[in-house]
Amino acid sequence: MYGGVPLRTIKEALLKLKAQGELHRVKMVDLTNCTFDGHVYDTRRVMEECLAIKPDLIFLWDEAWFGFAHWSPLLRQRTAMGAAAVLTEELAKPEAVTAWEEQQKALGDSPSEDVLLATRLVPDPRAVRLRIYQTNSVHKSMSALRQGSIVLVKDVDFEHVESQFHEAVFTHASTSPNQQIIASLDVARRQMQLEGYGLVANALQISLEIRRQINSHPIISKYFKVLSNAEMIPDSFRQSGLDDYNDPDISWGKAIQSIRDDEFLLDPTRMTLSCGHAGFDGTTFKNILAEKFNIQLNKTSRNSILLQSNINNTRSDIALLIRVLVDIAMDLETKITENGEGYRTVFAQQVRELVDDLPKLPNFSCFDDRYREDATADTLHGDIRRAFYDAYKEAECEYLALDSQELDKRLQSGPTLVSANFVIPYPPGFPIMVPGQVITQEIVDFMRKLDVKEIHGFNKALGLKLLKR
Ligand SMILES: Cc1ncc(COP(=O)(O)O)c(C=O)c1O
């Protein structure tokens, strides 16, 4: 699933499996916190409610981008380990048992799925096994060398899995320690222990300043905008009503309420800068910034780029960024006023295509029947591994050009199109198809509209790789 996954969706999936007698097969919930775009979960609530449905669930929080958050007293509670510490303390209190007993009484013997979805579920502390893992790419947000990443473990049953855990690490990594990386992790740890709170406060301050300067600048704001909290997170996931970190009347009370209550919080250090109104797609704009202005980015979307503030930033970085955006905006102003009507029409059309005419992201469709245990069951799961290995057998695969009429015919009247590959366009950077997945009209429409050059798992000259029927 892309982006932040609403808690309701997770609960629905677990409750459905429970109703089908399949809940015992669910071992782990794996979520990315925060997402690349900055969506931060309410880690405590997600774990509490999931544990209320299955008390021995394991949680793997991918906090590759969020390691620094430990050094913000506000953000820490939204990290896996911050929430784990609170949960350990809260579940040990006698009130936790009373709360569970009272909720059980109120829910009655067989509460409906709707009631369970609408209730903030509390777990039974006597049944819960707290098993929480957090991956943390120290090198992404702190001062470690590339590959300086760690796994944090808070697992009451770790002693039973420790040897397998080490074996798994050695299977996937070199068995020879890399002293340079380990030393850099030590340096990063020491730096954060000594100066972390100040450095992170600085990174947060810098991001607020960048947001303010870009969105209030008389020329820059005509073409560029840092998207607000409301534009990044739908209202129903922002119970506090905090719409924008730049609201002039924002109070500490509201900020704290947002951190405590909102289902999703926007990591302030991640700024999505929309560039569609300047007529740039994300990749073109990224290349201009890199080639002409020596500003490096690593994430773009069709009409935006992602800016990040880090613990190393200074006010000079803000000044540089603003000057560059002023230069680019002034250049656009000149072209729009000095070039003729023809230029303005083309520019307006370009903006429309980037801002309004967006290809709709397709949701996961389903696996082909042959990769499902029970093709009549109302479930989405399938045997991706078998499909992946089936695709190794060339004789069982075929290719169809994306713009061919044959493809349209197959969509209309079969046989079903089944993907042999992971197909990952960048941007957005996550799979649009996985091995064994049925290819639908929605997916083909999206692929045909895509104008990005980097599509992993797809060779335009050959076409879509399919598993034969
Ligand atoms: C969400 C997410 N998780 C994990 C990783 C990989 O992290 P590492 O560099 O520690 O392997 C990335 C890398 O970009 C990422 O974006």
Side-chain angles (χ1 to χ4, degrees):
M1 292 176 187
Y2 329 131
V5 186
L7 178 53
R8 188 185 170 91
T9 307
I10 302 170
K11 282 171 70 181
E12 250 167 358
L14 293 174
L15 291 170
K16 196 188 254 181
L17 288 164
K18 188 173 180 185
Q20 290 164 344
E22 296 267 30
L23 191 59
H24 63 281
R25 293 177 63 189
V26 184
K27 304 292 179 203
M28 186 175 84
V29 171
D30 177 4
L31 294 166
T32 300
N33 186 52
C34 62
T35 65
F36 225 136
D37 304 287
H39 299 99
V40 182
Y41 284 86
D42 183 343
T43 41
R44 174 181 172 182
R45 180 166 179 182
V46 169
M47 292 196 280
E48 269 176 354
E49 294 217 41
C50 289
L51 289 169
I53 300 171
K54 189 167 195 287
D56 62 349
L57 259 186
I58 303 169
F59 296 91
L60 172 56
W61 292 96
D62 176 348
E63 298 198 354
W65 289 103
F66 208 40
F68 71 93
H70 179 83
W71 283 274
S72 156
L74 295 174
L75 294 177
R76 183 190 292 177
Q77 54 201 290
R78 290 269 182 164
T79 65
M81 288 303 143
V86 175
L87 277 176
T88 307
E89 205 172 296
E90 292 298 317
L91 290 175
K93 292 181 181 165
E95 295 90 302
V97 179
T98 320
W100 180 77
E101 284 170 348
E102 278 172 9
Q103 184 165 80
Q104 289 305 299
K105 219 184 296 162
L107 288 172
D109 278 345
S110 47
S112 68
E113 185 179 310
D114 284 345
V115 169
L116 292 172
L117 289 174
T119 307
R120 176 164 182 163
L121 300 174
V122 295
D124 177 356
R126 293 157 306 186
V128 163
R129 309 290 305 161
L130 263 193
R131 309 193 63 188
I132 304 169
Y133 292 74
Q134 174 193 333
T135 54
N136 175 334
S137 306
V138 178
H139 69 94
K140 288 199 205 300
S141 69
M142 291 166 269
S143 307
L145 289 177
R146 274 281 161 116
Q147 298 190 16
S149 302
I150 56 177
V151 184
L152 308 182
V153 180
K154 183 151 179 85
D155 179 355
V156 291
D157 289 328
F158 191 62
E159 59 178 315
H160 304 302
V161 293
E162 189 170 355
S163 65
Q164 292 97 314
F165 183 87
H166 286 299
E167 210 172 306
V169 171
F170 285 145
T171 307
H172 294 283
S174 164
T175 51
S176 337
N178 181 320
Q179 312 286 12
Q180 300 93 308
I181 293 177
I182 293 170
S184 80
L185 283 170
D186 266 349
V187 169
R189 182 199 55 75
R190 184 184 168 91
Q191 180 188 35
M192 294 310 279
Q193 287 296 114
L194 294 175
E195 308 171 341
Y197 289 97
L199 290 171
V200 171
N202 177 60
L204 294 172
Q205 189 111 44
I206 292 224
S207 83
L208 297 180
E209 189 60 22
I210 291 175
R211 285 166 191 275
R212 191 187 65 73
Q213 290 206 25
I214 291 178
N215 289 358
S216 62
H217 194 285
I219 298 168
I220 299 178
S221 65
K222 279 189 182 174
Y223 302 99
F224 299 100
K225 182 179 185 207
V226 179
L227 299 187
S228 65
N229 305 44
E231 285 163 310
M232 294 297 294
I233 300 173
D235 287 355
S236 55
F237 299 104
R238 273 180 303 102
Q239 290 77 352
S240 69
L242 192 154
D243 289 338
D244 192 352
Y245 285 127
N246 275 344
D247 273 349
D249 57 351
I250 191 172
S251 64
W252 272 106
K254 195 152 191 178
I256 287 169
Q257 191 196 351
S258 165
I259 289 166
R260 203 186 47 213
D261 297 340
D262 286 353
E263 178 162 352
F264 286 104
L265 176 82
L266 185 65
D267 171 1
T269 70
R270 304 183 81 81
M271 295 156 274
T272 298
L273 181 79
S274 117
C275 54
H277 284 103
F280 296 120
D281 65 80
T283 311
T284 306
F285 193 49
K286 168 185 164 161
N287 292 339
I288 293 174
L289 290 178
E291 282 158 22
K292 291 202 181 153
F293 301 102
N294 204 19
I295 294 178
Q296 307 288 330
L297 305 166
N298 78 7
K299 182 188 180 275
T300 58
S301 82
R302 187 167 154 79
N303 57 19
S304 72
I305 59 163
L306 183 80
L307 302 170
Q308 271 177 266
S309 61
N310 276 301
I311 58 168
N312 60 308
N313 286 129
T314 63
R315 299 190 73 80
S316 320
D317 299 323
I318 308 180
L320 170 71
L321 179 68
I322 297 300
R323 185 186 61 73
V324 166
L325 292 178
V326 170
D327 282 358
I328 296 173
M330 294 283 277
D331 188 43
L332 278 172
E333 287 270 277
T334 313
K335 283 188 185 138
I336 288 169
T337 31
E338 290 181 3
N339 290 343
E341 200 51 45
Y343 177 87
R344 283 190 283 275
T345 312
V346 171
F347 181 76
Q349 172 64 19
Q350 222 169 338
V351 170
R352 250 195 319 277
E353 276 171 21
L354 288 168
V355 177
D356 300 324
D357 189 19
L358 296 173
K360 193 170 167 292
L361 265 181
N363 275 327
F364 178 76
S365 50
C366 60
F367 283 103
D368 186 42
D369 286 353
R370 75 190 115 152
Y371 298 113
R372 303 180 63 196
E373 252 168 51
D374 176 1
T376 58
D378 176 25
T379 56
L380 281 177
H381 55 261
D383 192 348
I384 195 172
R385 179 190 295 259
R386 194 152 50 80
F388 180 87
Y389 284 110
D390 279 353
Y392 273 31
K393 303 166 204 151
E394 277 298 324
E396 291 188 20
C397 296
E398 59 181 331
Y399 290 90
L400 260 187
L402 187 58
D403 50 9
S404 66
Q405 287 181 351
E406 174 65 13
L407 189 77
D408 291 310
K409 234 179 357 196
R410 290 271 299 267
L411 278 171
Q412 290 289 323
S413 42
T416 310
L417 299 163
V418 181
S419 178
N421 274 352
F422 286 98
V423 176
I424 308 175
Y426 184 88
F430 39 70
I432 297 302
M433 292 171 234
V434 303
Q437 182 181 343
V438 171
I439 301 174
T440 56
Q441 184 74 52
E442 207 190 1
I443 294 172
V444 171
D445 290 345
F446 179 79
M447 289 290 292
R448 284 180 175 163
K449 260 195 166 181
L450 265 185
D451 53 4
V452 300
K453 293 197 178 59
E454 192 179 331
I455 307 180
H456 302 272
F458 173 69
N459 179 335
K460 194 162 188 277
L462 289 172
L464 290 169
K465 186 173 180 186
L466 305 171
L467 287 160
K468 279 188 192 160
R469 290 291 291 175

